[in-house]
């Protein structure tokens, strides 16, 4: 066994497997720029190494694989008018695409909380494992941001309008719902993950995972598909909210209430992004689009305010600008899709 440790990413090999462990458990392994670079270095080292047949990514601690990017750092960067986040996103999105195209099995243990950037380093992998503890989400509209890391690509390809629902509300998907929406491939009970990891050191990934896979406990989205498809197929967010409110379904009305608490700008940009992502022909082209959205959000009032309310001050009372959906103009949405003024990850 060989090991190479850095403070927040632990890398080691055992048998035929290379293991990447995200190691910021107090922050639920939130990603920093240095962590993104270290993951990429490990993938480079193993890509042409004949001794390594499988890559495994997992999270340290008991709370989850990864809660997303380090949004406090993004908040501080945005407040100061900095550009550090732009460089972070460029490298992060390139890593997301690399994971999707990686030539060896890339096994993601999506145990516990897997959100935002955590989805980016897991759900693009070729073998994605969820457990009964999994909570998979793209909760960006709640902080005035838009799903990124290829999130609009993944959710835009979910059955019907399930992905639109998850993208706009930021709702968490358990194991069965992650499988239904295409965010995961296999359910393995969490107590079996250590044995699965051991098996991956000596057996081909798909064979090992198949031996531990079980039927997932029932989810929620399958039974809600009818009203989700009917309501979220609307052309505008305002109409989505009206359909949810008038549906007569309690869960739909709850979704409407959630939407009305989110950033109005982020909701409209997200709906447009999901629809555009469906028409784009590759993950890379979607990531280029998301890079433009992220750069635009960095200079928006809602991103700073959303992170302040949810993470910094934790008063859970964001003051969105503008405060209502009706006040968000088409021009304001279009501004997010304009060229970012910085080289996009895959523009060369």
């Amino acid at each position: 066994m060989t090991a190479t440790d850095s403070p927040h990413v632990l890398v080691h090999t055992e048998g035929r497997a290379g293991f990447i462990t995200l190691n910021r458990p107090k922050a639920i392994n939130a990603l920093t720029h240095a962590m993104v670079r270290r993951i990429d270095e490990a993938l480079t080292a193993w890509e042409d190494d004949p001794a390594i047949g499988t890559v495994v990514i997992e999270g340290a601690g008991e709370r989850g694989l990864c809660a997303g990017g380090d949004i406090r750092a993004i908040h501080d960067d945005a407040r100061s008018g900095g550009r550090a986040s732009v460089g972070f996103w460029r490298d992060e999105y390139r890593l997301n695409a690399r994971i999707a195209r990686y030539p060896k099995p890339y096994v993601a243990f999506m145990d516990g909380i897997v959100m935002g950037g955590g989805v980016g380093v897991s759900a693009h992998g070729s073998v994605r494992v969820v457990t009964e503890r999994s909570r998979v989400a793209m909760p960006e509209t709640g902080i005035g941001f838009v799903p990124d890391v290829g999130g609009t690509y993944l959710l835009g390809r979910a059955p019907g309008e399930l992905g639109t629902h998850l993208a706009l509300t930021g709702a968490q998907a358990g194991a069965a719902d992650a499988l239904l929406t295409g965010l995961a491939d296999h359910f393995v009970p969490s107590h079996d993950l250590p044995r699965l990891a051991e098996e991956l050191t000596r057996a081909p990934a798909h064979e090992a995972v198949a031996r531990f896979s079980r039927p997932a406990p029932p989810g929620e989205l399958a039974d809600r598909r009818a009203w989700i498809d009917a309501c979220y197929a609307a052309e505008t967010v305002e109409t989505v909210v009206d359909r949810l409110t008038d549906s007569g379904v309690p869960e739909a009305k709850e979704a409407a209430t959630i939407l009305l608490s989110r950033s109005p700008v982020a909701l409209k940009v997200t709906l447009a992004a999901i629809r555009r992502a469906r028409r784009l022909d590759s993950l890379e082209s979607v990531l280029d689009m998301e890079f433009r959205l992220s750069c635009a959000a960095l200079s928006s009032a809602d991103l700073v305010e959303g992170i302040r309310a949810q993470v910094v001050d934790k008063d859970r009372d964001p003051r969105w600008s503008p405060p209502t959906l009706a006040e968000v103009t088409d021009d304001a949405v279009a501004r997010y899709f304009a060229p970012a003024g910085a080289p996009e990850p895959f523009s060369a």
Side-chain angles (χ1 to χ4, degrees):
M1 180 178 70
T2 62
T4 305
D5 294 353
S6 61
H8 295 146
V9 178
L10 308 180
V11 174
H12 78 276
T13 63
E14 184 172 350
R16 66 191 315 276
F19 290 86
I20 298 169
T21 304
L22 307 183
N23 189 40
R24 295 184 69 203
K26 291 183 179 179
I28 320 180
N29 304 313
L31 292 171
T32 65
H33 201 163
M35 292 170 71
V36 166
R37 289 172 174 150
R38 185 69 190 96
I39 296 168
D40 190 65
E41 288 172 0
L43 295 181
T44 297
W46 294 333
E47 186 165 352
D48 296 318
D49 184 348
I52 301 301
T54 297
V55 172
V56 181
I57 189 164
E58 57 190 357
E62 298 297 322
R63 299 169 69 190
L65 171 66
C66 176
D70 188 340
I71 58 174
R72 278 183 176 268
I74 294 171
H75 171 269
D76 294 345
D77 187 42
R79 283 194 64 190
S80 67
R83 302 292 286 173
S85 298
V86 173
F88 167 66
W89 286 323
R90 188 183 296 113
D91 287 346
E92 183 184 25
Y93 300 171
R94 284 173 175 159
L95 175 63
N96 302 147
R98 182 176 195 179
I99 290 167
R101 310 295 183 222
Y102 202 65
K104 297 179 179 181
Y106 181 99
V107 182
F109 286 179
M110 300 172 70
D111 186 36
I113 291 174
V114 185
M115 297 184 181
V119 173
V121 297
S122 60
H124 295 298
S126 55
V127 185
R128 304 162 303 171
V129 176
V130 285
T131 76
E132 77 284 354
R133 306 192 309 178
S134 294
R135 298 294 179 269
V136 185
M138 298 297 296
E140 285 77 9
T141 60
I143 58 168
F145 198 46
V146 180
D148 65 336
V149 299
T152 62
Y153 180 89
L154 294 165
L155 295 176
R157 284 156 177 77
E161 297 295 335
L162 295 179
T164 310
H165 169 68
L166 294 179
L168 294 180
T169 62
Q172 298 178 14
D177 292 336
L179 294 167
L180 174 63
T181 53
L183 296 172
D185 306 301
H186 303 275
F187 172 80
V188 174
S190 58
H191 62 79
D192 278 339
L193 289 182
R195 289 198 299 147
L196 172 56
E198 182 180 355
E199 187 72 8
L200 288 166
T201 67
R202 54 180 175 263
H206 291 282
E207 294 178 12
V209 174
R211 283 196 282 272
F212 286 90
S213 292
R214 301 288 183 271
E220 298 176 347
L221 292 181
D223 290 340
R224 300 179 181 183
R225 173 81 186 271
W227 64 259
I228 287 175
D229 284 358
C231 294
Y232 287 92
E235 291 187 6
T236 68
V237 180
E238 290 94 328
T239 307
V240 170
V241 171
D242 288 343
R243 289 184 182 181
L244 291 169
T245 302
D246 297 339
S247 67
V249 179
E251 293 85 359
K253 292 182 179 181
E254 290 174 9
T257 300
I258 291 171
L259 292 183
L260 292 174
S261 73
R262 303 305 195 224
S263 160
V265 172
L267 287 176
K268 288 200 170 184
V269 174
T270 296
L271 182 61
I274 289 285
R275 303 264 163 92
R276 291 192 186 203
R278 287 173 177 163
R279 299 193 297 268
L280 294 173
D281 61 0
S282 69
L283 172 60
E284 287 81 359
S285 60
V286 173
L287 287 165
D288 276 340
M289 177 191 73
E290 291 179 350
F291 183 76
R292 295 193 290 275
L293 303 180
S294 298
C295 289
L298 191 64
S299 60
S300 73
D302 276 6
L303 179 60
V304 171
E305 173 62 10
I307 299 175
R308 178 207 65 77
Q310 300 298 337
V311 178
V312 179
D313 296 338
K314 298 182 180 180
D315 59 24
R316 308 291 192 264
D317 185 27
R319 295 169 178 82
W320 304 123
S321 179
T324 67
L325 289 165
E327 295 173 272
V328 180
T329 66
D330 291 344
D331 287 344
V333 174
R335 180 183 73 83
Y336 276 73
F337 293 89
E344 295 171 4
F346 305 98
S347 60

